[in-house]
Amino acid sequence: MNLTFGWIRDEDIHAWAKLTNQLALIDDSDEFYTAEDLLEELLEPGLDPKLDTVAIWAADEMIGYGQIRVGQQLRDEMCRVSLGGGLLPAFRRQGLGTKLLEILEARGISKATALHPATALAFDMWGHSVGHGAGILAESMGYTVARYFQDMEITSENFRQETENWNQTENLRVLPFSEGYSERVRVLDNEAFSDHWGSTPKTIDEWNAMTSARTFSAERSQILVGEIEPNGPEQVLSYILASEWTPGELYVARVGTGRASRGKGYAAKLLSSVVLNAFSHGYTKADLSVDAQSPTGAVGLYQRLGFSVTRTGAMYRKIVSVKEIDSRMHAPSATLEHG
């Protein structure tokens, strides 16, 4: 069968959505997207579909895809390049995955070098559960497991509400997320995630794209404001940002607390408030994804509220030195064209 490689165009969105939803069922990722969701991805700040996406076609069916996201800011003096994609099972183990990954790596090196010259980079790719073909492919290409992440979910039957009262001496207030607080939450988010593996600071454009996305739910997101010092200025202390990818299911996208406010139970009480609010408005479950080695002990917090693990997957990483980047930049790379 003749296969055609190209990039993902606006008119390919429905074929892309069909493929990603097939893969979500086949690989048990629970990552289902509408065409509208994926169109937003093509409009992300800094993304060029011709350079950052790959589509593999068998006649008029998209049977595989790939995409890269290059970090706009550095972490640990490295540029992070996230690689995503997948192939239908009938086309796996035929060398297509290797070819796709080679194309994505070449594109990632080119773009990362343009943004951050003379800087090492880290390729990160999702390997699904242990033994999945994606992880086997990653290992064959020099990647190693860097981290395990757990998907967790909760239903109203399992929910254990946090009952401890707020400390009223700190003049605490729980508010829905709003545009007026957005920039302060972004700054706090960058601080809160600065010690989390794989996280890079979010630019204003990246943050605005996330909080204006079709799936983002400001109504179900909450922030905690109060005083760090007695009679001090009001500050954002903690926040929960939520989305709704599947109708009736709340996805907890970001949970963060400023370092000066950690250890006071803010995140537990605020997340409890968010989950209770969701269930009271007819949501059937809430879910999230968490680093199994989170430095804040987040896994225990979620379990205390009643969240349970539904799946565990591995993130694979390969670090490419400046010297290797220089040598690979002079190697020929593939050119994608639509037939």
Side-chain angles (χ1 to χ4, degrees):
M1 180 180 294
N2 291 327
L3 300 177
T4 304
F5 283 71
W7 65 89
I8 300 176
R9 306 165 298 179
D10 289 357
E11 55 263 43
D12 302 326
I13 289 296
H14 290 283
W16 188 19
K18 177 183 176 182
L19 172 61
T20 58
N21 291 328
Q22 286 176 297
L23 293 174
L25 290 172
I26 293 165
D27 296 324
D28 187 34
S29 69
D30 201 36
E31 294 185 1
F32 297 95
Y33 300 98
T34 66
E36 292 78 11
D37 297 331
L38 296 177
L39 182 59
E40 285 189 340
E41 290 196 12
L42 294 185
L43 299 174
E44 287 178 0
L47 188 140
D48 182 347
K50 286 188 177 182
L51 298 177
D52 302 338
T53 69
V54 178
I56 307 176
W57 298 87
D60 59 354
E61 180 185 15
M62 188 184 296
I63 57 89
Y65 81 97
Q67 62 187 136
I68 66 170
R69 288 183 172 90
V70 178
Q72 301 297 300
Q73 301 193 54
L74 302 180
R75 171 72 185 270
D76 299 327
E77 299 183 348
M78 288 192 300
C79 173
R80 185 188 185 207
V81 181
S82 298
L83 309 178
L87 290 165
L88 290 178
F91 297 89
R92 295 175 183 176
R93 303 185 186 279
Q94 300 175 34
L96 279 176
T98 299
K99 182 176 181 179
L100 178 60
L101 190 51
E102 288 174 344
I103 292 172
L104 295 178
E105 285 190 357
R107 297 298 177 82
I109 286 175
S110 177
K111 188 163 186 174
T113 301
L115 282 172
H116 310 289
T119 303
L121 64 83
F123 284 123
D124 290 337
M125 67 171 283
W126 186 241
H128 296 282
S129 58
V130 175
H132 188 279
I136 295 172
L137 170 63
E139 290 176 355
S140 74
M141 297 283 285
Y143 291 71
T144 57
V145 174
R147 217 71 171 186
Y148 289 98
F149 285 82
Q150 295 175 328
D151 289 346
M152 306 182 76
E153 69 175 38
I154 190 172
T155 62
S156 58
E157 291 79 12
N158 307 118
F159 177 46
R160 294 190 289 271
Q161 183 179 355
E162 189 76 10
T163 57
E164 183 180 348
N165 293 325
W166 297 101
N167 184 348
Q168 295 305 316
T169 63
E170 297 173 307
N171 294 321
L172 302 175
R173 293 190 297 150
V174 175
L175 304 172
F177 178 88
S178 64
E179 186 175 343
Y181 282 95
S182 183
E183 176 58 13
R184 280 186 275 179
V185 178
R186 182 189 74 87
V187 172
L188 183 62
D189 183 84
N190 285 341
E191 176 203 319
F193 279 85
S194 64
D195 56 356
H196 285 54
W197 183 90
S199 178
T200 56
K202 289 191 178 297
T203 65
I204 292 175
D205 286 345
E206 290 171 328
W207 183 263
N208 289 342
M210 182 185 75
T211 56
S212 64
R214 189 186 67 86
T215 53
F216 179 72
S217 178
E219 187 179 20
R220 301 290 164 239
S221 302
Q222 294 183 4
I223 63 174
L224 177 69
V225 299
E227 302 167 355
I228 294 180
E229 300 292 339
N231 301 315
E234 181 184 78
Q235 299 185 49
V236 178
L237 307 178
S238 187
Y239 60 92
I240 310 288
L241 302 186
S243 300
E244 186 176 355
W245 294 93
T246 302
E249 297 181 9
L250 190 77
Y251 182 71
V252 179
R254 310 285 287 186
V255 178
T257 301
R259 293 190 180 190
S261 302
R262 289 179 180 175
K264 299 182 178 182
Y266 290 163
K269 288 193 279 287
L270 194 60
L271 181 56
S272 178
S273 174
V274 166
V275 172
L276 180 64
N277 176 272
F279 289 149
S280 69
H281 283 84
Y283 285 76
T284 57
K285 73 173 183 177
D287 48 23
L288 52 81
S289 182
V290 60
D291 182 347
Q293 299 166 259
S294 170
T296 61
V299 175
L301 182 159
Y302 303 144
Q303 290 174 330
R304 190 167 75 244
L305 293 178
F307 282 86
S308 59
V309 176
T310 56
R311 62 181 62 80
T312 299
M315 183 68 75
Y316 286 78
R317 168 166 283 193
K318 178 166 70 175
I319 295 175
V320 184
S321 67
V322 174
K323 182 178 180 180
E324 185 178 353
I325 289 172
D326 288 341
S327 65
R328 292 181 64 171
M329 283 291 290
H330 294 91
S333 59
T335 300
L336 303 185
E337 296 182 359
H338 280 278

